[in-house]
Amino acid sequence: MAHPSQLGFQDAASPVMEELLHFHDHALMIVFLISTLVLYIIVAMVSTKLTNKYILDSQEIEIIWTILPAVILILIALPSLRILYLMDEINDPHLTIKAMGHQWYWSYEYTDYEDLGFDSYMIPTQDLTPGQFRLLETDHRMVVPVESPIRILVSAEDVLHSWAVPALGVKMDAVPGRLNQTAFITSRPGVFYGQCSEICGANHSFMPIVVEAVPLEHFENWSSLMLEDA
């Protein structure tokens, strides 16, 4: 859960998000080193009148400042490509959920069950109970089992939406007439919040996403109750 004045990302709740955090730190360190070097060179050139004649025309320096950026780009590109392939990998999901975007709410359908689906609306501010978050709570949460591969099929019924949960490292566009898929594994129990990340009209800010990760036994009890109510 994000908090005011937070400078970094939310705590990772999935293996993919942990990889993204590590890559962010890796790339940021490279940026810091380059920025420090450039700042030092600028300060040195401005603050001194001395000139080294060997720097004015040097083949060795030109070779270095041509090869070094290429090496740095490779050091950034290889981990990035690895994470891209990890995010695209979907191996034998234990559960498939179809998330449909509407103006302005989400509907979820658990396709492995015969009749398990519901709409998820934001709880208005006046109806919130103590401890609930404004603009983030929903009347029905998407419940998933912990440490199980979950496949999400994302689409929309009217305009473009985007299903995004930062703590899980998941963000997938919901396009009318098209079925996109992504996957995640929750590494710990908890409640994880997200919001529609594609401007979709007047109430774009009022269609939150709440994913609740629970142990498998609790998930089975929840699904049984939902099927009985249906």
Side-chain angles (χ1 to χ4, degrees):
M1 180 67 192
H3 57 79
S5 74
Q6 179 175 330
L7 296 179
F9 291 99
Q10 297 181 29
D11 292 338
S14 71
V16 168
M17 189 58 192
E18 290 180 7
E19 293 287 341
L20 288 171
L21 289 177
H22 293 156
F23 175 70
H24 169 265
D25 296 340
H26 167 73
L28 199 61
M29 185 56 63
I30 293 175
V31 170
F32 280 151
L33 292 175
I34 294 173
S35 302
T36 303
L37 177 62
V38 171
L39 181 62
Y40 168 76
I41 293 173
I42 292 174
V43 171
M45 292 181 65
V46 170
S47 61
T48 181
K49 296 181 180 179
L50 299 177
T51 303
N52 189 329
K53 65 179 181 179
Y54 295 109
I55 295 180
L56 296 178
D57 185 16
S58 173
Q59 295 293 331
E60 291 79 7
I61 289 180
E62 290 188 7
I63 291 173
I64 290 172
W65 73 38
T66 300
I67 293 177
L68 194 58
V71 172
I72 292 173
L73 288 175
I74 291 172
L75 290 175
I76 294 175
L78 291 181
S80 174
L81 288 172
R82 173 177 168 271
I83 295 176
L84 279 175
Y85 279 102
L86 282 175
M87 294 175 72
D88 202 42
E89 195 72 25
I90 301 177
N91 289 323
D92 191 23
H94 295 176
L95 184 67
T96 299
I97 304 172
K98 184 167 71 174
M100 290 288 293
H102 310 263
Q103 289 183 311
W104 289 271
Y105 65 95
W106 293 95
S107 62
Y108 300 102
E109 180 182 340
Y110 289 69
T111 58
D112 299 288
Y113 295 83
E114 185 174 345
D115 188 22
L116 179 51
F118 51 84
D119 296 332
S120 180
Y121 290 89
M122 185 193 77
I123 299 177
T125 303
Q126 63 270 19
D127 296 335
L128 292 174
T129 59
Q132 291 186 324
F133 298 105
R134 190 177 71 90
L135 302 183
L136 289 177
E137 294 289 350
T138 60
D139 57 354
H140 290 94
R141 294 173 173 176
M142 190 186 90
V143 181
V144 298
V146 174
E147 296 180 345
S148 297
I150 310 296
R151 176 171 56 188
I152 305 293
L153 304 176
V154 184
S155 187
E157 203 169 66
D158 35 47
V159 298
L160 290 176
H161 300 278
S162 185
W163 198 86
V165 182
L168 300 176
V170 175
K171 183 177 186 293
M172 181 57 65
D173 287 343
V175 183
R178 177 172 177 171
L179 202 61
N180 293 328
Q181 74 171 355
T182 186
F184 63 86
I185 301 175
T186 53
S187 52
R188 55 186 170 86
V191 179
F192 311 110
Y193 296 92
Q195 290 178 302
C196 178
S197 297
E198 188 72 48
I199 296 176
C200 56
N203 292 332
H204 160 66
S205 302
F206 307 109
M207 49 182 301
I209 300 157
V210 183
V211 178
E212 182 175 359
V214 298
L216 181 59
E217 181 182 352
H218 294 181
F219 174 78
E220 291 175 342
N221 294 336
W222 171 84
S223 60
S224 298
L225 290 174
M226 293 293 290
L227 289 170
E228 290 175 4
D229 294 339

